Amino acid sequence: MKFVESIRIKQTMPCVADPTKIRVIASADRELGEILPYLDQKIPNALYSKKSGFLTYKRGIILITLHPTDEITMTQIADENEANAILGEIKDKINETHKERDQIDLTTPKKRVNVGPLDLYGYLPKTNCKECGEATCMAFAVMVLNHEKSLDKCPYLSEPKYKCARETLVMLLQSAGYEVN
């Protein structure tokens, strides 16, 4: 029996990190929360946040987040054809993991994958405006990772235009174990 029968695109919008690409919000035909801890063990670079209940991983430059609801988000997607191909792969991975879940040990903690400054920088406005108190957006990213600045110090991330980028940054940081307001 399959855990997920279908995953469909609900919405596409411009990607803030790269305006030539799109951000995709998709919906599975059921909630994903119970499978996410198992997927965390099966996807090598996945970051699972028990607190928030979502799973994030990168596929090249594409950032994929599976939410405990039925929602799946992806950033830096070339077009809907690429999105549908990746969603098909995700559906297959979910169903394969569900079939093998009895053999997956959830008691052994998975080693965390580190989030680096370049990971954050990719979703920052890249204005180097200095309004956050740092000389560059890259310096700001380093300060965030060192717990010396919070995302709310970047005035652009509170603008509607950067809402998706902020959400992605929050998910990246939380899944790597950072506390984010």
Side-chain angles (χ1 to χ4, degrees), residues 113-134:
V113 176
N114 291 328
V115 174
L118 283 174
D119 296 314
L120 297 187
Y121 179 75
Y123 297 96
L124 291 173
K126 300 175 194 69
T127 60
N128 297 329
C129 68
K130 300 178 181 62
E131 291 180 48
C132 65
E134 298 305 319

Side-chain angles (χ1 to χ4, degrees), residues 131-143:
E131 291 180 48
C132 65
E134 298 305 319
T136 64
C137 291
M138 179 60 81
F140 176 73
V142 171
M143 297 299 278

Side-chain angles (χ1 to χ4, degrees), residues 9-22:
I9 295 174
K10 288 192 320 189
Q11 184 179 6
T12 63
M13 56 205 117
C15 182
V16 176
D18 181 347
T20 66
K21 305 214 183 247
I22 61 173

Side-chain angles (χ1 to χ4, degrees), residues 140-165:
F140 176 73
V142 171
M143 297 299 278
V144 169
L145 291 173
N146 289 336
H147 303 282
E148 296 174 44
K149 296 269 180 173
S150 62
L151 291 178
D152 63 351
K153 295 297 180 191
C154 174
Y156 293 95
L157 291 177
S158 62
E159 293 178 7
K161 175 182 175 183
Y162 291 100
K163 180 180 185 236
C164 296

Side-chain angles (χ1 to χ4, degrees), residues 45-46 56-64 118-119 123 172:
N45 64 339
T56 302
Y57 66 99
K58 287 186 95 169
R59 183 181 185 269
I61 63 166
I62 298 167
L63 183 70
I64 300 168
L118 283 174
D119 296 314
Y123 297 96
L172 265 175

